[in-house]
Amino acid sequence: METSYTYLTTEELAQRIKYDCRTIRQQLKDSVLIEGTHYIKPFGRRKILFMWEAVEKEMLKSAVSSIAIPMANGGVSHG
């Protein structure tokens, strides 16, 4: 099965997810966004291309896991 990705530069990704390029490079890359899963360095070069579908899946996964419903007793239900 062949998978097709939409490749984005750091600048294009920043525009799409409304984050600063610096934040992507310094805080997300290699902690949340992992090489080989969310981005590649084609031809072994410095240039980074993010795979939009993998990044979007990671964002949605994080969003769903962080949903919490406050309970009357002060506790939290995670759905």
Side-chain angles (χ1 to χ4, degrees), residues 1-69:
M1 182 174 107
E2 185 177 321
T3 304
S4 179
Y5 289 101
T6 304
Y7 296 102
L8 303 172
T9 64
T10 306
E11 292 76 15
E12 292 167 333
L13 179 64
Q15 289 176 341
R16 204 173 269 210
I17 66 172
K18 313 297 188 238
Y19 271 74
D20 187 80
C21 291
R22 212 172 319 126
T23 302
I24 293 171
R25 285 190 205 102
Q26 294 174 355
Q27 295 178 9
L28 298 179
K29 190 172 95 34
D30 297 327
S31 64
V32 177
L33 303 176
I34 309 301
E35 185 173 3
T37 301
H38 303 104
Y39 73 90
I40 60 169
K41 293 180 179 178
F43 314 111
R45 302 291 185 149
R46 290 186 61 203
K47 181 87 169 168
I48 294 171
L49 293 177
F50 291 91
M51 297 177 281
W52 170 245
E53 292 76 8
V55 171
E56 184 177 44
K57 184 177 178 181
E58 186 66 37
M59 287 186 347
L60 292 173
K61 182 175 80 175
S62 297
V64 170
S65 69
S66 67
I67 294 175
I69 303 165

